[in-house]
Amino acid sequence: MNNPKPQEWRAEALSANYIADYKPFNFVDGEGVRCSLYVSGCPFHCEGCYNKAAQSFKYGKPYTEELEDRIIADLWHESVQGLTLLGGEPFLNTGVCLPLVKRVRALFDDTKDIWSWTGYTWEEMMQETPDKLELLSYIDVLVDGRFEQDLFDPNLAFKGSINQRIIDVQASLASNKVVLYM
């Protein structure tokens, strides 16, 4: 597993703007019915990663405007609670994720929530680049921290290892400390 120094990994240097997959109308990547975008590229290389293929920044296919339009159309469905960003590492794919979340907020305001997973801890994220912090500002719920195989628990909701946290991002940003979502 890799542990970056603050601001060491930069989206503009690493991301190829590829996505591993897009799954509309699923029930596993957060609460409710979700539209999930799996971005490509993750240099954390956690042992036991469930999506090892997506560690390559060139895995899958390029993100397109047509796909973004499809995601937005899918989010209009009344049954969809929100968007989920995962991968790969969404915070190293800000060129894809930032325009999408901005568009989601412009169209849906807070009627659709946005979840994301990241290998960064909250504390690491607070020392990161402006693009990562901007993306974070649009997120409602963040599952933080690297997956640790020796801390794996198959009974955990929305996370794989007990070191990971499910964070209420907006409450955490407002109080300047981690506020758990659940």
Side-chain angles (χ1 to χ4, degrees):
M1 179 177 354
N2 293 319
N3 296 303
K5 294 179 180 96
Q7 303 187 26
E8 178 180 0
W9 295 341
R10 297 182 171 264
E12 67 271 13
L14 295 171
S15 179
N17 294 332
Y18 271 54
I19 62 138
D21 202 1
Y22 168 62
K23 294 181 180 178
F25 315 116
N26 79 61
F27 301 90
V28 296
D29 297 328
E31 292 180 331
V33 179
R34 321 274 327 149
C35 292
S36 299
L37 181 65
Y38 295 78
V39 295
S40 294
C42 182
F44 284 110
H45 297 265
C46 300
E47 182 183 338
C49 175
Y50 85 101
N51 203 1
K52 199 168 187 103
Q55 290 178 359
S56 168
F57 283 94
K58 289 278 188 147
Y59 178 76
K61 58 187 176 190
Y63 185 74
T64 64
E65 187 176 321
E66 291 78 20
L67 176 58
E68 184 169 301
D69 291 342
R70 179 177 168 209
I71 293 168
I72 296 298
D74 291 342
L75 285 167
W76 280 110
H77 286 268
E78 188 176 299
S79 64
V80 174
Q81 182 171 324
L83 172 69
T84 299
L85 304 173
L86 58 171
E89 175 55 59
F91 290 88
L92 289 172
N93 283 278
T94 54
V96 168
C97 295
L98 255 175
L100 175 60
V101 297
K102 287 179 179 181
R103 189 172 172 196
V104 169
R105 287 292 182 233
L107 292 170
F108 302 103
D109 194 33
D110 291 328
T111 64
K112 304 288 181 177
D113 63 12
I114 301 173
W115 283 51
S116 185
W117 270 252
T118 183
Y120 289 100
T121 64
W122 180 268
E123 294 76 14
E124 289 170 329
M125 189 65 72
M126 292 299 100
Q127 300 177 61
E128 273 302 331
T129 56
D131 60 322
K132 292 174 191 160
L133 293 171
E134 184 180 5
L135 177 57
L136 184 67
S137 75
Y138 289 95
I139 305 295
D140 295 296
V141 179
L142 181 75
V143 181
D144 83 328
R146 298 177 240 337
F147 172 74
E148 293 188 28
Q149 182 70 49
D150 58 337
L151 300 176
F152 171 70
D153 181 344
N155 299 312
L156 298 171
F158 307 123
K159 56 186 186 172
S161 56
I162 61 173
N163 62 297
Q164 296 173 308
R165 299 173 290 186
I166 303 172
I167 298 172
D168 180 326
V169 173
Q170 298 309 311
S172 298
L173 290 172
S175 67
N176 204 27
K177 65 178 182 177
V178 171
V179 176
L180 296 180
Y181 180 75
M182 51 175 25

